[in-house]
Amino acid sequence: MRTAAPATGAYLLGFLGVASFSLTFPMTRVADAELDPVFVGLGRAIVAALLALLVLQWQRAPWPTRHQVQRLIVVALGVVVGFPLLSAWAMRSVDSSHGAIIAGLLPLATAAGGAWRAKERPTLQWWLCAALGSALVLAHAFRVGDGQLGAADLALTGAMLAAAVGYTEGAMLAREMPAERVICWALIIAAPLILVVLLVYPLHWQPASLAAWGAFGYVSAFSMFLGFFAWYRGLAKGGIARISQIQLLQPFLTLLAAAFLFGELVEPGMWLFAAGVMTCVAIGRRMPAVPVNQGNTNSR
């Protein structure tokens, strides 16, 4: 049985989230060049947590329930700690254009999370197309790594898995509370532990340029905060498996930014791999529609 396609608004929200995330790798690389990667990876959460506190106070948001706090911890471990820290470390070793290709794993991982946690059931044809796209991603990683995965590739893969867990659980919570409060509460919950780590960890400080601090400001305000407002709302309204596929635009957007805004050399092969991954998921979306259990979708 075919289900109705998600409203255009859900796709638009998803695209806005992906557009803000697409600059994460290039901006992280700029910040990493002059700032400690641990500070870049975790410090952004402290800045975002301060913004989150202002939003929650302005909204007079009620405290989450104990069960919601447990799930918010999962969100925090995925998108507040795991993804930022692992990706910041990896960006010290690889170009953001390379990271963009590895990010092609994220839609499949997020859809798998939706199938498991949200009981969404993509068709077999859809899974085959998504698996082929992921195989292209791994082929690219082996090609540039002389037949083996490097430590940065493993870190990026771990970052993608952490993000997928955080995206899935956050989307589920966004059906129970306004989407912006999901990331706000996750940041508030994680902030004390992150602050302790930053105070204890021997950070390496050196004079940094305005560009490095500006890049750090971007990943703090947009990658770690505002982007999730649209992203979680889009996933909750349109279905995790469906909307997660918009992330296949992210490699292209990141490659464009890396090439034209940051001057990175993007070899033609990377464009071909990115196009192949996106084509696989585009074909998958033309397969029979994904039955989605919308549950009690929060449209606020």
Side-chain angles (χ1 to χ4, degrees):
M1 181 175 116
R2 292 177 181 268
T3 57
T8 301
Y11 282 114
L12 178 59
L13 288 167
F15 176 78
L16 289 175
V18 167
S20 66
F21 297 152
S22 66
L23 290 179
T24 298
F25 283 154
M27 288 294 189
T28 299
R29 186 166 173 78
V30 171
D32 272 358
E34 302 178 45
L35 298 171
D36 190 290
V38 174
F39 174 75
V40 174
L42 296 181
R44 70 179 79 176
I46 299 300
V47 176
L50 294 175
L51 298 175
L53 185 61
L54 293 176
V55 170
L56 293 173
Q57 288 184 332
W58 176 66
Q59 291 187 346
R60 298 183 183 277
W63 290 91
T65 66
R66 179 179 299 180
H67 181 59
Q68 288 174 336
V69 168
Q70 293 172 349
R71 296 166 64 191
L72 284 164
I73 291 174
V74 175
V75 175
L77 290 174
V79 301
V80 179
V81 178
F83 176 83
L85 186 59
L86 289 170
S87 61
W89 184 84
M91 286 297 101
R92 301 280 286 191
S93 306
V94 297
D95 291 338
S96 55
S97 54
H98 177 72
I101 303 298
I102 303 300
L105 288 170
L106 192 47
L108 178 62
T110 305
W116 174 54
R117 283 288 290 122
K119 308 304 181 185
E120 298 178 358
R121 292 292 179 265
T123 62
L124 176 60
Q125 298 95 322
W126 186 95
W127 283 116
L128 290 174
C129 289
L132 178 58
S134 298
L136 287 174
V137 171
L138 294 176
H140 165 75
F142 276 102
R143 183 178 68 91
V144 300
D146 295 327
Q148 60 184 356
L149 289 174
D153 293 315
L154 296 177
L156 284 169
T157 301
M160 296 307 111
L161 294 175
V165 171
Y167 287 168
T168 301
E169 200 63 44
M172 297 285 290
L173 280 166
R175 297 174 181 175
E176 303 175 14
M177 65 175 69
E180 65 274 10
R181 292 183 191 173
V182 175
I183 189 61
C184 285
W185 282 120
L187 287 163
I188 296 298
I189 288 172
L193 178 59
I194 291 175
L195 189 57
V196 169
V197 172
L198 290 175
L199 291 174
V200 173
Y201 185 84
L203 298 173
H204 300 286
W205 293 104
Q206 62 181 12
S209 66
L210 185 60
W213 284 110
F216 176 76
Y218 181 91
V219 296
S220 300
F222 289 91
S223 303
M224 191 78 267
F225 189 59
L226 294 175
F228 283 97
F229 286 28
W231 181 238
Y232 277 148
R233 191 179 296 269
L235 288 173
K237 293 181 65 174
I240 297 170
R242 286 181 182 273
I243 302 302
S244 69
Q245 300 314 292
I246 299 174
Q247 292 171 306
L248 264 294
L249 292 174
Q250 189 166 328
F252 278 112
L253 296 175
T254 302
L255 289 172
L256 288 172
F260 297 107
L261 296 181
F262 300 92
E264 287 189 14
L265 178 62
V266 181
E267 62 172 345
M270 286 190 176
W271 293 105
L272 292 175
F273 273 99
V277 171
M278 186 173 178
T279 299
C280 287
V281 177
I283 294 174
R285 287 189 58 198
R286 294 180 179 275
M287 298 298 176
V290 181
V292 178
N293 178 16
Q294 292 288 356
N296 183 22
T297 302
N298 190 324
S299 60
R300 286 176 286 178

